[in-house]
Amino acid sequence: MGLSQALREATMAVHERAHHSTYMAALLGGELPVEAYTLLAEQYLGIYGALEAKAAELAADPVAGPFVIDELHRVPALEQDVAALGGSVAAPRLLPETEAYAARLREADAARFVAHHYTRYLGDLAGGQVVGKLLEKTYGITGPGALFYDFSALGSPSRFRVRYRALLDEAPWDEIEQRRVCDEAVRAFELNIAVLEGMATTTRIAA
Ligand code: HEM
């Protein structure tokens, strides 16, 4: 089985749990003030800041290097979004769960970096597009404020996902290393769920 299929299967159950985040449901249901999304955008700035700093560090790595794709990088868009939404770019209000996630990213090696890279960017290119459209519909947020969801520089998201899965399947990892990538992807989902639960608590949404 290729790594792309192994990752999909290894993360299916935890992905299902991520779907049921009370914060995401309240946000997408329009039950929260826009400020509740601004705080999430600030968490993303912390997460992508660490992920893309690691990308810069591993750009020359023979295995991780091919995954360092500038058009995927979100920090430039997130800085504009947070500023447009009235948040702080210079000092984003990071939750403890986000700090823990960023710390895990900072200590990642090539295999773990790719696991986090897959979890965030392939998620943004799939379910994330749904979130982007609902933000526009529910809160009227388009352009600066929602640039995070704009991957037009990549061309068609579905064609890119095919290319991305081929990159995963071509990565020269043996079974043990592939297992480590899958385990870290599950950990990455758990870290994302913890951030969404932290958001639910901070924005006082009943569980
Ligand atoms: C409201 C929450 C969410 C919704 C509605 C959602 C929805 C989806 C959908 C429809 C797909 C495409 C499935 C397919 O290609 O068959 C997908 C894929 C994916 N999602 Fe989510 N998702 C959500 C939350 C998350 C979260 C929190 C993460 C991780 C941070 C995530 C990561 C992924 C990944 C990595 C994929 C690609 C799976 C693969 O093809 O290997 N999703 N999501």
Side-chain angles (χ1 to χ4, degrees):
M1 182 196 302
L3 179 56
S4 65
Q5 191 53 27
L7 274 166
R8 201 178 164 90
E9 293 192 7
T11 59
M12 211 163 269
V14 71
H15 185 225
E16 192 48 39
R17 274 182 37 227
H19 278 202
H20 304 296
S21 128
T22 50
Y23 166 80
M24 266 301 177
L27 182 75
L28 302 178
E31 297 156 30
L32 300 176
V34 171
E35 292 70 27
Y37 178 69
T38 307
L39 186 63
L40 180 66
E42 289 182 65
Q43 306 320 301
Y44 284 158
L45 201 48
I47 293 165
Y48 287 86
L51 182 60
E52 290 163 18
K54 183 55 70 171
E57 206 184 292
L58 291 173
D61 181 275
V63 183
F67 291 88
V68 178
I69 301 162
D70 292 346
E71 292 83 358
L72 278 173
H73 290 176
R74 299 292 90 192
V75 168
L78 280 166
E79 288 178 343
Q80 293 182 63
D81 287 353
V82 169
L85 293 163
S88 169
V89 174
R93 299 161 290 166
L94 301 186
L95 303 179
E97 295 86 353
T98 306
E99 297 280 15
Y101 190 172
R104 183 77 186 174
L105 288 165
R106 280 191 288 273
E107 64 189 40
D109 61 8
R112 290 185 171 155
F113 163 73
V114 170
H116 287 277
H117 194 276
Y118 157 83
T119 303
R120 277 307 330 175
Y121 295 118
L122 219 56
D124 297 331
L125 286 162
Q129 296 301 297
V130 179
V131 176
K133 291 199 180 62
L134 277 166
L135 268 181
E136 182 178 342
K137 198 159 134 271
T138 313
Y139 298 94
I141 303 176
T142 56
L147 296 174
F148 172 73
Y149 301 95
D150 177 1
F151 285 89
S152 49
L154 279 176
S156 119
S158 54
R159 259 209 305 280
F160 180 79
R161 280 167 46 198
V162 172
R163 178 181 147 208
Y164 192 89
R165 290 199 181 102
L167 265 183
L168 290 168
D169 294 340
E170 286 152 16
W173 278 316
D174 63 18
E175 225 165 298
I176 293 166
E177 205 58 3
Q178 288 199 2
R179 181 77 263 150
R180 223 162 58 83
V181 176
C182 290
D183 291 348
E184 189 67 14
V186 172
R187 163 79 74 98
F189 270 92
E190 300 282 6
L191 288 161
N192 277 284
I193 290 170
V195 170
L196 293 173
E197 284 167 357
M199 288 296 300
T201 311
T202 310
T203 52
R204 295 196 185 78
I205 299 162

